[in-house]
Amino acid sequence: MIKKIIQLFWYEKQNIHKNGQGIIKKIFIRINEYGFLEMKQQLEEDYAEIENDYIIKSRLNVKYSILKTRLFFLSIFLILNGYFMFIKSELYESKTALIVRDMGQPSAASSLGLSLLGMGNSSQLQDSMIVEEYLQSLDMYKQVDKKFSLTKHYESDAVDFVERLPKDATTEQILKMYNKHLIIFYDETAGILHISFLHVDPKKAQEILEFLVKRVDYQINEFNRKKAEKQLRFVENEYKKAKAKFDAASLAVQEYQNKHLILDPTAEATSKSTIIAELEAKLSQKKLEYATKKRYLNDGNFELISLKNQIKEIKKSIKNAKEKLTGNEKNRLNKVVFAYEQLKMQLEFATEVYKNALLQLETTKIEVAKNDKTLSIISKPDLPDGYTYPDKPRVFITILILTLLAYGIFTMLGSIIRDHKE
């Protein structure tokens, strides 16, 4: 009936009854005089005039379709703007900016060079990504929820009915809502991590953000400590193994020395070689002396007999010394020296491994005790003095542009379809 009234209004306005009463006025008069049913019957009789004219009816139908389209898009525009302007919760944004620094780095020169190239520091980037993942994790949310009751807040009337979570919301829905209000951005060029939190209460937004920063400051060093403790356990095991090998090598050397009654077989071999050399030199001297005296003395002369006996004793001494040094005896000195050198090399190697393991152990203990990572807070969490979301002027303009764009596309498509039908 509304369609007929509107089309009769257009028909009378553009074509006939220009000097008569308008259709709207007629309707009110007929209702007052004859009632609604009689008015409806009279309306059907007036509309029959349009029904009989196909061209006029087609034009009015097109015009009515355009009106419906405009009203549809106008309704969407009004509903969306009404929601964002008057219903949607106004969220206050507390912001902070911080840098994750690695105090264990020996020099900042390389980091500065990378920053100038716009690349940032790889360790700093990794630490910042860890911070971001931790802040967005379920564990972090549980800690925040325990202190600030965020779940109850997201299910309360403080949040508008569109954003509000149901009472039986799942953990995934709650975590998604939390991460929607947590804004994290990492500036790779400057190496600065920007963190914001949204809440309907500005004070609460500031308190939650301060809590997040404190937890991050603690947790990032907790990660480092756990890593160092795991490394410490590994180093301690390696130290114990190295010490056991060192003790075994030391004991083997001591037992070998006690068994052969020699402190240093190498020095003993050197000493034996020196003695043999001296004996051989003395032997040469005695042989020369014996040959000289034999020219003018008889064979039975006492001096010749004495020299001959001395030469024989010296040869015997040299032979005995050489047999002890390189002979076929079981405990010959060269064999003892060779075995001793092997034990000595094993001891020296075990000593070096033990020294390195001990040094690594002490270094790791220091790493466990200190904080390698620290948060440098550039700007503390602020107390917002005005809401940030929604940005009503921007939202209004955006909805207006999108609505007009959609209306234009829809109208153009409708015109193409109608032209195609005609």
Side-chain angles (χ1 to χ4, degrees):
M1 188 173 67
I2 295 176
K3 177 182 177 181
K4 293 177 180 179
I5 294 173
I6 293 172
Q7 288 184 343
L8 281 170
F9 174 76
W10 287 337
Y11 179 71
E12 290 182 350
K13 185 177 180 181
Q14 296 178 6
N15 296 287
I16 59 173
H17 304 307
K18 291 184 180 179
N19 298 323
Q21 294 176 331
I23 185 63
I24 305 300
K25 191 173 183 180
K26 283 182 180 180
I27 289 172
F28 282 108
I29 293 172
R30 289 170 181 172
I31 290 175
N32 290 331
E33 292 183 0
Y34 307 108
F36 180 77
L37 293 176
E38 182 67 23
M39 180 277 298
K40 188 176 180 181
Q41 184 177 357
Q42 291 294 326
L43 183 65
E44 293 290 342
E45 292 176 359
D46 292 341
Y47 192 74
E49 187 177 347
I50 298 175
E51 289 281 354
N52 296 329
D53 193 332
Y54 177 78
I55 296 175
I56 293 176
K57 183 181 178 182
S58 297
R59 289 176 179 175
L60 292 176
N61 283 336
V62 170
K63 192 174 182 179
Y64 184 73
S65 297
I66 294 172
L67 177 63
K68 285 198 302 182
T69 303
R70 289 177 178 174
L71 290 175
F72 172 75
F73 282 99
L74 179 62
S75 300
I76 292 176
F77 174 76
L78 292 175
I79 291 171
L80 290 176
N81 272 294
Y83 168 71
F84 282 103
M85 298 297 163
F86 307 108
I87 300 175
K88 184 170 177 58
S89 303
E90 295 176 344
L91 300 175
Y92 295 82
E93 181 181 19
S94 180
K95 301 178 182 178
T96 186
L98 48 89
I99 297 177
V100 183
R101 295 190 182 277
D102 188 352
M103 305 303 292
Q105 288 186 352
S107 173
S110 60
S111 300
L112 178 60
L114 290 172
S115 296
L116 291 174
L117 292 172
M119 297 170 63
N121 182 268
S122 59
S123 175
Q124 193 176 52
L125 173 62
Q126 184 181 22
D127 292 335
S128 298
M129 294 300 101
I130 291 173
V131 170
E132 181 175 352
E133 289 298 323
Y134 176 65
L135 287 172
Q136 295 175 343
S137 67
L138 182 60
D139 290 338
M140 185 72 256
Y141 173 74
K142 287 180 178 178
Q143 296 179 47
V144 177
D145 185 46
K146 184 178 180 180
K147 185 173 179 65
F148 298 99
S149 303
L150 277 184
T151 302
K152 290 183 179 178
H153 166 69
Y154 292 148
E155 295 173 351
S156 68
D157 294 337
V159 182
D160 63 83
F161 69 92
V162 176
E163 295 283 340
R164 189 183 308 147
L165 293 178
K167 298 295 182 182
D168 57 347
T170 63
T171 304
E172 289 75 14
Q173 289 175 314
I174 297 172
L175 184 62
K176 185 178 179 181
M177 185 74 164
Y178 162 73
N179 285 324
K180 186 178 179 180
H181 290 170
L182 178 66
I183 303 171
I184 304 175
F185 170 71
Y186 178 69
D187 185 350
E188 294 186 11
T189 304
I192 300 175
L193 188 65
H194 300 270
I195 306 173
S196 305
F197 194 81
L198 303 174
H199 200 279
V200 295
D201 183 357
K203 184 65 177 176
K204 193 72 72 177
Q206 183 188 32
E207 291 174 355
I208 292 174
L209 192 55
E210 288 174 346
F211 177 78
L212 291 175
V213 172
K214 288 180 181 177
R215 291 304 305 168
V216 165
D217 191 19
Y218 167 79
Q219 197 64 37
I220 194 169
N221 281 299
E222 187 66 16
F223 290 148
N224 187 58
R225 277 193 291 270
K226 287 180 180 178
K227 179 182 177 182
E229 286 172 0
K230 185 183 289 186
Q231 185 178 1
L232 178 61
R233 288 193 294 270
F234 172 77
V235 172
E236 284 178 341
N237 290 332
E238 293 300 312
Y239 167 76
K240 290 176 182 178
K241 292 177 183 178
K243 190 175 186 305
K245 290 181 180 179
F246 171 74
D247 292 340
S250 300
L251 183 61
V253 171
Q254 292 175 18
E255 289 177 349
Y256 196 80
Q257 289 173 336
N258 294 334
K259 180 180 178 181
H260 295 87
L261 301 176
I262 298 176
L263 181 62
D264 188 352
T266 305
E268 185 72 16
T270 303
S271 177
K272 291 285 184 183
S273 298
T274 303
I275 291 172
I276 291 171
E278 290 176 353
L279 287 173
E280 287 179 342
K282 189 174 183 180
L283 177 63
S284 298
Q285 183 185 356
K286 291 296 181 182
K287 281 183 177 181
L288 179 61
E289 185 180 353
Y290 178 78
T292 303
K293 288 184 177 183
K294 188 176 181 181
R295 292 176 185 175
Y296 59 87
L297 293 176
N298 296 323
D299 290 339
N301 188 276
F302 174 77
E303 287 186 36
L304 289 178
I305 293 171
S306 177
L307 285 171
K308 192 173 183 179
N309 289 334
Q310 288 179 19
I311 289 169
K312 188 184 293 186
E313 289 298 325
I314 291 171
K315 285 182 177 180
K316 186 177 179 181
S317 297
I318 291 172
K319 182 181 179 182
N320 291 335
K322 286 184 176 180
E323 285 178 352
K324 288 182 179 178
L325 188 63
T326 59
N328 295 321
E329 294 183 7
K330 184 178 180 180
N331 293 326
R332 61 187 181 273
L333 196 55
N334 64 337
K335 183 179 179 181
V336 173
V337 170
F338 182 74
Y340 176 77
E341 287 296 329
Q342 284 186 318
L343 293 174
K344 188 178 177 182
M345 283 190 295
Q346 291 177 2
L347 177 60
E348 289 174 352
F349 179 75
T351 303
E352 288 298 320
V353 173
Y354 174 70
K355 284 165 60 179
N356 291 332
L358 183 60
L359 179 63
Q360 186 66 33
L361 178 63
E362 295 302 319
T363 304
T364 307
K365 285 181 178 179
I366 295 173
E367 292 293 328
V368 173
K370 73 177 184 179
N371 289 338
D372 272 350
K373 312 291 182 180
T374 183
L375 285 183
S376 298
I377 300 176
I378 299 175
S379 61
K380 293 182 179 180
D382 61 334
L383 180 64
D385 55 359
Y387 69 88
T388 306
Y389 300 98
D391 186 351
K392 293 182 179 180
R394 184 177 180 180
V395 169
F396 178 83
I397 294 171
T398 302
I399 294 175
L400 177 62
I401 293 172
L402 291 176
T403 304
L404 292 174
L405 183 63
Y407 171 74
I409 294 172
F410 188 84
T411 303
M412 183 178 65
L413 292 174
S415 300
I416 292 173
I417 294 171
R418 283 196 300 270
D419 293 342
H420 182 70
K421 286 181 178 181
E422 292 176 358

